[in-house]
Amino acid sequence: MITAKARAVDGPDKSFRAAEIKRRDLDLHDVLIEIKYAGICHSDIHTAHGEWGAVNYPLVPGHEIAGVVSDVGGEVTKYKVGDRVGVGCMVDSCGECESCRKGEEQYCLKGNVPTYAGVDKYGEPTQGGYSTHIVVTEDFVVRIPDNIELDAAAPLLCAGITTYSPLNHWGAGTGKKVAVVGMGGLGHMAVKIANAMGAEVTVLSQTLNKKEDGLKFGAKNYYATSDPETFEKLVGSFDLIINTVSAKIDISAYLSLLTLDGTLVNVGAPAEPLSLNVFSLIGHRRSFAGSMIGGIRETQEMLDFCAKHNIIPNIEVISADQIDEAYERVLASDVKYRFVIDISTM
Ligand code: NAP
Ligand code: ZN
């Protein structure tokens, strides 16, 4: 067993504390990663607070992991000691079902193994990246391109792929009008990626406070959703809307902003159900869809795309003692635009 230092939480209302966790000894296809940076995703907060259902505490969150390979199992072929690598939201899947065979392991019909708050094939609870080391089977490890620093790479492993995948799937590109709802961790990546894909991007944020940043990230337009005129003005405007909001919003109001045959993709995952007025869909043959992260192959494609287009997340690096404070700030929409934990402070 390998001992790793970590930050764990013991219940929905508890603060983070220092902890020691065990990582399994390397199996033939396992890679040991010395974690350098871990991003803080809003999903970590939903999970730590028990909003998505019962959690087995203590919990070590973190699924935006960037680090360096420090050991490999006897039959590992893809990575060697010293390689710069990343791990995202899942660490395994069945490998045999239709989804896995298509490279869409996130939709594994038997359920993928999440990086934390899951159970691995050995029956052990999985623990995430707020820790110094992790052991992952090589098929669920991706390579970080040389021109992306490890701290900035971390958020790409969830915020990057979760926005790249639906933009790719629904064909964001030249001639397409794309709106991004909510400009936090996921939202700011969606703006940068959609812009690089060639789409005309509009941000729909609660206020105009971050407008200057949004335009710098590549948005052409930026509107405040607190202004009712925004919804009147933009009716029927967008081919694709990516909703990244972590809370319940009036989906019908946003659906009305789609063109004929337009699609609103929900990636935001609030615990409360969203309700909608079906007339906002049927009138213009619109679609309301969802999307979850992306497969391993697509995650590597996204990293290479970001490297090629110089797409780097805007991050604020924090120490391990600042996780609670960072959670508070994310909940207050006071994040520009991703907190990343410097694991050396653990
Ligand atoms: P985040 O950094 O907190 O960003 C969410 C943004 O939503 C905020 O910055 C804010 O943007 C807006 N917002 C927050 N509360 C709002 C409210 N009450 N009304 C309207 N807008 C509000 O969170 P994130 O890490 O990007 O994650 C966003 C959501 O995606 C979370 O629910 C997370 O669990 C989910 N997620 C899903 C997947 C997936 O695979 N589908 C993957 C990762 C994360 P403005 O300040 O611009 O208004
Ligand atoms: Zn995430």
Side-chain angles (χ1 to χ4, degrees), residues 41-44 63-64 89 116 157-159 162 186 293 338:
C41 176
H42 206 119
S43 301
D44 300 350
H63 58 207
E64 294 187 335
C89 301
Y116 60 81
L157 278 308
C158 175
T162 301
L186 267 58
I293 49 174
R338 201 57 143 185

Side-chain angles (χ1 to χ4, degrees), residues 190-325:
V191 174
K192 292 183 183 208
I193 293 170
N195 177 57
M197 287 177 170
E200 182 187 305
V201 185
T202 298
V203 176
L204 303 172
S205 179
Q206 294 168 93
T207 65
L208 294 179
N209 295 347
K210 297 179 279 192
K211 179 172 178 180
E212 211 174 299
D213 288 345
L215 300 182
K216 259 191 245 158
F217 299 158
K220 190 166 176 217
N221 312 294
Y222 198 106
Y223 295 94
T225 53
S226 52
D227 179 355
E229 271 183 29
T230 294
F231 290 92
E232 288 163 27
K233 194 171 167 184
L234 297 176
V235 165
S237 295
F238 305 109
D239 301 295
L240 180 62
I241 299 177
I242 306 286
N243 174 24
T244 75
V245 174
S246 48
K248 184 176 177 178
I249 57 172
D250 177 7
I251 281 296
S252 303
Y254 291 86
L255 287 169
S256 71
L257 308 186
L258 290 170
T259 54
L260 171 68
D261 287 327
T263 302
L264 187 156
V265 185
N266 224 85
V267 292
E272 310 84 356
L274 299 177
S275 61
L276 62 86
N277 179 338
V278 293
F279 291 99
S280 60
L281 287 175
I282 61 185
H284 299 269
R285 202 165 52 198
R286 294 163 174 146
S287 301
F288 182 40
S291 182
M292 186 170 74
I293 49 174
I296 298 299
R297 189 170 58 222
E298 195 178 30
T299 304
Q300 188 64 60
E301 179 187 305
M302 173 278 307
L303 286 166
D304 298 339
F305 178 91
C306 289
K308 182 174 166 205
H309 294 272
N310 263 315
I311 297 174
I312 303 292
N314 290 54
I315 58 170
E316 186 173 334
V317 177
I318 61 164
S319 73
D321 290 333
Q322 292 175 296
I323 298 172
D324 293 306
E325 192 189 319

